[in-house]
Amino acid sequence: MGSGAKPSAAVPRHIGIIMDGNGRWATRRKLRRTLGHTRGIEAAKRIVREAIAQKIEYLSLYAFSTENWRRTEEEVSFILALVAKNLRSQYSFYRENNVCVRHSGNLEGLPCQVRDEIHRVTEETRANTAITVNLAVNYGGRDEIVRAANRALQSRQASCDTPPTQDDLLLTEETIQSHLDLPDLPDPDLIIRTGGHRRLSNFLIWESAYAELYFSNRFWPEWTGKDLRKAIHDFGSRKRNFGGTG
Ligand code: IPE
Ligand code: IPE
Ligand code: MG
């Protein structure tokens, strides 16, 4: 480093985004909430492009939560159909931008059309290397932890020839971690929530134990590359301790 040069600020390896505010963006314009979701897809594409430009390795996008089933049937089916349609129609976007798509969440609860598209696109984009985009669809942090714990217990029992002792059956952080939906992903360094609310709404509960949090009042359909750059810049000024001394 030349004299006078500042050390470059830390860049998050993994960013998670709670893409909130689609409905309010639309209703404030006297439009249907569903149009807000459609515009939200455009925002997601802008942000994936910017994340690649900023050399972010992993981007987790919260698209539909395990609690979002509480919405009207019309809105739920609209969102799920939009997800399925875009997984299919955005294939050239993934190819041109070299995006590897992964999924986290409970596949079993999803309509088979959505499940099929998720399987297809994750398979077809597997070898892409510019960024890994984790789409959280029918995702809930608590649901993920419970499924991980159950898978950990089942694999323990299956691997025991002799009856397991009490100690064999004890779970550790490592066994739960290794049975999460995407155990190979590093924990998110930065969680962004758009749309003005300051809560996690069951997003990456286990993984965000030490994430930095960033809240923006702008609704998701309004988000541009500039907003992401601002969040990354803010992250660069934070001092992380991970429980150690500062
Ligand atoms: C986030 O936007 C998208 C989903 C939850 C699918 P909302 O639909 O929650 O928008 P607001 O919060 O009602 O404005
Ligand atoms: C979180 O937003 C879920 C997604 C962005 C997919 P919500 O709008 O569902 O969160 P709450 O209900 O306001 O906490
Ligand atoms: Mg919301």
Side-chain angles (χ1 to χ4, degrees):
M1 197 191 304
S3 64
K6 282 192 189 152
S8 52
V11 175
R13 269 189 92 190
H14 182 179
I15 299 180
I17 307 186
I18 303 168
M19 308 182 289
D20 195 28
N22 292 351
R24 279 165 291 156
W25 177 87
T27 50
R28 293 221 179 145
R29 285 166 180 73
K30 303 209 169 5
L31 302 167
R32 293 166 72 83
R33 288 177 59 83
T34 47
L35 189 71
H37 298 309
T38 309
R39 289 298 178 84
I41 301 275
E42 294 308 312
K45 287 168 68 180
R46 288 197 291 275
I47 296 309
V48 169
R49 283 200 195 93
E50 186 65 31
I52 296 171
Q54 298 300 321
K55 304 209 165 15
I56 304 304
E57 292 173 64
Y58 303 92
L59 183 66
S60 288
L61 298 177
Y62 203 8
F64 187 83
S65 78
T66 46
E67 286 70 36
N68 286 147
W69 295 100
R70 294 178 187 153
R71 299 187 178 199
T72 62
E73 216 245 281
E74 187 206 354
E75 184 166 345
V76 168
S77 9
F78 184 88
I79 295 171
L80 293 178
L82 191 69
V83 167
K85 185 174 139 224
N86 278 280
L87 284 170
R88 194 170 33 221
S89 66
Q90 299 302 337
Y91 184 66
S92 58
F93 173 83
Y94 302 132
R95 195 186 50 235
E96 278 154 28
N97 293 285
N98 195 13
V99 176
C100 169
V101 180
R102 311 272 306 264
H103 169 258
S104 58
N106 198 332
L107 275 172
E108 273 172 29
L110 284 167
C112 57
Q113 186 203 10
V114 182
R115 245 186 292 168
D116 290 350
E117 293 299 343
I118 289 174
H119 283 312
R120 198 183 62 91
V121 81
T122 50
E123 208 39 61
E124 286 177 0
T125 63
R126 202 182 194 93
N128 293 349
T129 53
I131 192 169
T132 295
V133 173
N134 161 28
L135 296 178
V137 184
N138 198 22
Y139 177 87
R142 289 183 175 181
D143 177 68
E144 182 190 26
I145 295 168
V146 170
R147 287 185 291 104
N150 282 324
R151 287 196 288 250
L153 287 175
Q154 279 160 0
S155 71
R156 285 274 169 104
Q157 281 158 350
S159 65
C160 285
D161 296 336
T162 50
T165 64
Q166 276 302 319
D167 270 3
D168 286 334
L169 291 175
L170 283 181
L171 293 173
T172 63
E173 285 192 20
E174 288 71 25
T175 46
I176 292 187
Q177 166 71 36
S178 68
H179 289 87
L180 293 172
D181 289 346
L182 300 175
D184 54 317
L185 260 57
D187 283 347
D189 304 291
L190 173 64
I191 301 275
I192 295 171
R193 181 172 190 137
T194 70
H197 298 314
R198 297 178 173 230
R199 52 180 177 253
L200 288 176
S201 302
N202 208 6
F203 189 44
L204 301 178
I205 295 301
W206 176 281
E207 298 85 341
S208 66
Y210 268 100
E212 296 294 324
L213 307 179
Y214 180 90
F215 299 103
S216 153
N217 288 333
R218 279 163 79 85
F219 297 135
W220 177 246
E222 297 170 324
W223 258 58
T224 66
K226 195 171 162 204
D227 295 292
L228 185 70
R229 288 198 297 277
K230 221 171 119 192
I232 294 172
H233 184 260
D234 188 89
F235 173 86
S237 69
R238 312 247 185 128
K239 190 170 168 302
R240 303 177 81 190
N241 286 343
F242 297 101
T245 44

